[in-house]
């Protein structure tokens, strides 16, 4: 990905790395605040809440409790779906 960004933007690999890391950091920070990030034509990153539930330990078969959690979700945009 770094190579692709560097070539397409005509910048150094170091600058492409910093740009990609800044983007990822921005998405993480926004999701931590509970907001979503929409990139028109590409998709939307959002936070979803997963409820607590019962599960099974695959080794022993014993019942375990799985805690509720916040998980990142990605919903692709129409342009991305059409490109595939």
């Amino acid at each position: 990905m770094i190579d692709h960004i560097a070539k397409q933007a005509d910048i150094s690999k170091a600058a492409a790395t910093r740009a990609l890391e800044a983007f990822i950091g921005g998405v993480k920070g926004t999701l931590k605040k509970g907001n979503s990030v929409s990139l028109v034509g590409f998709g939307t990153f959002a936070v979803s809440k997963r409820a607590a539930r019962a599960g099974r330990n695959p080794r022993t078969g014993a019942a375990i409790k799985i805690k509720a959690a916040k998980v990142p979700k990605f919903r692709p945009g129409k342009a991305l779906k059409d490109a595939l």
Side-chain angles (χ1 to χ4, degrees):
M1 191 66 163
I2 299 297
D3 289 336
H4 180 74
I5 292 170
K7 286 179 186 175
Q8 292 294 312
D10 194 26
I11 58 176
S12 69
K13 286 184 182 181
T17 300
R18 288 191 303 272
L20 183 59
E21 288 174 353
F23 171 75
I24 292 170
V27 171
K28 283 182 186 178
T30 302
L31 292 178
K32 279 184 181 180
K33 292 178 184 175
N35 298 324
S36 63
V37 177
S38 294
L39 301 171
V40 177
F42 183 70
T44 302
F45 296 92
V47 176
S48 180
K49 294 179 182 177
R50 185 179 290 165
R53 61 195 192 279
R56 292 226 171 258
N57 181 331
R59 289 186 184 173
T60 64
I64 57 172
K65 293 180 183 177
I66 301 172
K67 295 180 183 179
K70 292 181 182 178
V71 294
K73 297 276 182 162
F74 176 74
R75 188 174 64 236
K78 184 176 182 341
L80 180 59
K81 287 180 189 177
D82 291 345
L84 302 177

